[in-house]
Amino acid sequence: MNILYINDFKGVDYLNDNIFHGGRSLFGEKFVESKDAWYMYDDLSTNDKSSLYGNGFTVAGKLPKLNINREFIEDKIKDKFYDLIIYGSVHRNLDYIEIVKSIYPKNKVVFLDGEDEIKILTELLDYGVYFKRELSGEYANVVYPITFSIPKELINVESVENKIKIISNSSSYETGYLYSDEEIYYKNYRDSYFALTKKKAGWDCLRHYEIIMNGCLPLFYDLHNLPKTIMTHWDRELLEESLHLFWDFKIHKQELDLNAKAISDAEYSNLRNTILENLNNNLTTESMFNYIISKL
């Protein structure tokens, strides 16, 4: 299958980057981006990575650089050379849209909308299959929900016995990352039983995924307000169990020693492994790309 992925890749855009990673991982050189996805490749310099939003953690510099043929894209669209066309961010780049609308049927065009606001570009609905991250109930019957995802190779689980903290200090919770080093950031999650997370600009936040992929359980304290149309690929009951496990522990221990190892390893491990299984099955970049294909 020849796939054209349309975006200008001017900077980190999590949904766009996640789906690009999944498509390239699955289809290799047959998955062609319209403009060079420069920050997604493993030849990215340290300085360039540090200039990206969120320091490029989890998304940037993860893919091998391939020899991608971007010649004569417009002519190839007109000749229907591509079997599928995907717009990685409808609010940021709609190159070739008039040609695509005139040539391709709706089930051969994908529109991705990863913005935090709930509005969608309704004028595109007749020309492709639309996927929305922060999906409002108002549009739930006309577009598909979608979430962020993570590269499967980043799933890194340490033994429970290696944990030394109850709550990670990796996230500054209100303002984003405290760390400039990606591995140190991840290690703080791997060293911890739990990590705080919540809604930021949108409900679907990459931090949720980063916590779990490092073998840590999320404390998603405003989970009860999460709309049913958002983060639909997550198992909410498992997220609730994580909260209960932590609070049950806290209630039974009057003084919280942050270095104490007071949680049942078996109980903790069972829940962590179940949440990791859900992550691996439903929330990797490849599984999310396959989800898109299944809706066409």
Side-chain angles (χ1 to χ4, degrees):
M1 179 184 290
N2 293 304
I3 301 173
L4 176 64
Y5 196 85
I6 299 177
N7 197 275
D8 51 23
F9 290 94
K10 290 182 177 179
V12 166
D13 178 357
Y14 287 144
L15 184 66
N16 169 77
D17 300 341
N18 297 157
I19 301 305
F20 176 78
H21 184 283
R24 176 57 56 78
S25 298
L26 290 168
F27 293 96
E29 293 179 359
K30 290 183 175 295
F31 188 83
V32 175
E33 76 268 37
S34 59
K35 299 286 179 64
D36 183 23
W38 60 276
Y39 59 84
M40 296 294 292
Y41 297 120
D42 57 12
D43 61 352
L44 182 69
S45 72
T46 301
N47 286 339
D48 283 340
K49 186 172 183 179
S50 65
S51 71
L52 296 169
Y53 176 78
N55 294 312
F57 287 2
T58 306
V59 295
K62 300 296 188 292
L63 289 167
K65 187 87 169 181
L66 302 180
N67 184 23
I68 301 300
N69 183 355
R70 301 187 191 89
E71 293 184 338
F72 311 114
I73 286 178
E74 185 171 326
D75 291 337
K76 289 176 179 177
I77 293 173
K78 291 176 180 178
D79 291 339
K80 298 184 74 172
F81 170 81
Y82 302 108
D83 301 295
L84 177 65
I85 293 180
I86 301 176
Y87 282 90
S89 177
V90 294
H91 293 282
R92 303 187 187 197
N93 186 278
L94 286 172
D95 287 349
Y96 311 110
I97 186 61
E98 294 304 320
I99 302 173
V100 170
K101 283 162 57 175
S102 67
I103 294 176
Y104 278 83
K106 180 176 180 177
N107 68 336
K108 298 298 182 181
V109 181
V110 169
F111 297 119
L112 300 179
D113 187 337
E115 301 303 300
D116 293 322
E117 61 266 20
I118 63 174
K119 69 177 182 179
I120 67 170
L121 299 185
T122 55
E123 63 270 24
L124 296 177
L125 296 180
D126 290 335
Y127 302 102
V129 184
Y130 201 112
F131 293 84
K132 175 65 177 170
R133 174 177 147 258
E134 297 291 305
L135 177 59
S136 163
E138 176 183 1
Y139 302 117
N141 293 326
V142 293
V143 306
Y144 289 106
I146 196 167
T147 70
F148 290 150
S149 51
I150 54 102
K152 65 180 182 181
E153 59 267 24
L154 294 186
I155 297 176
N156 187 346
V157 185
E158 296 274 339
S159 168
V160 174
E161 286 76 13
N162 292 333
K163 294 187 177 295
I164 58 175
K165 293 181 288 188
I166 299 301
I167 299 179
S168 169
N169 60 346
S170 284
S171 304
S172 62
Y173 203 42
E174 298 294 340
T175 59
Y177 295 121
L178 285 171
Y179 296 93
S180 58
D181 185 287
E182 190 169 7
E183 178 55 30
I184 293 175
Y185 171 65
Y186 291 161
K187 187 176 186 302
N188 272 279
Y189 288 143
R190 293 199 298 271
D191 286 345
S192 306
Y193 283 98
F194 297 95
L196 297 170
T197 194
K198 66 169 187 174
K199 177 186 178 183
K200 294 179 70 177
W203 284 99
D204 191 27
C205 172
L206 199 63
R207 181 168 57 202
H208 312 329
Y209 304 76
E210 292 167 335
I211 290 168
I212 295 172
M213 77 185 195
N214 285 294
C216 186
L217 288 182
L219 297 176
F220 199 149
Y221 88 86
D222 50 355
L223 182 64
H224 59 285
N225 292 322
L226 175 63
K228 294 181 179 180
T229 52
I230 299 175
M231 291 178 61
T232 56
H233 287 71
W234 286 78
D235 188 324
R236 299 184 193 209
E237 290 186 2
L238 294 178
L239 296 177
E240 289 174 356
E241 286 184 36
S242 180
L243 282 169
H244 294 157
L245 181 63
F246 173 75
W247 288 114
D248 287 349
F249 160 73
K250 187 174 181 181
I251 288 171
H252 286 93
K253 186 172 177 59
Q254 297 300 314
E255 296 181 1
L256 185 63
D257 179 355
L258 294 183
N259 292 314
K261 180 184 173 186
I263 299 173
S264 163
D265 282 348
E267 184 179 10
Y268 180 89
S269 293
N270 287 339
L271 179 57
R272 185 196 63 171
N273 292 342
T274 302
I275 289 181
L276 270 169
E277 182 179 7
N278 182 64
L279 181 79
N280 192 53
N281 291 340
N282 301 305
L283 295 167
T284 65
T285 61
E286 292 182 15
S287 61
M288 197 59 61
F289 194 91
N290 283 328
Y291 161 73
I292 291 172
I293 296 297
S294 74
K295 299 301 181 184
L296 304 182

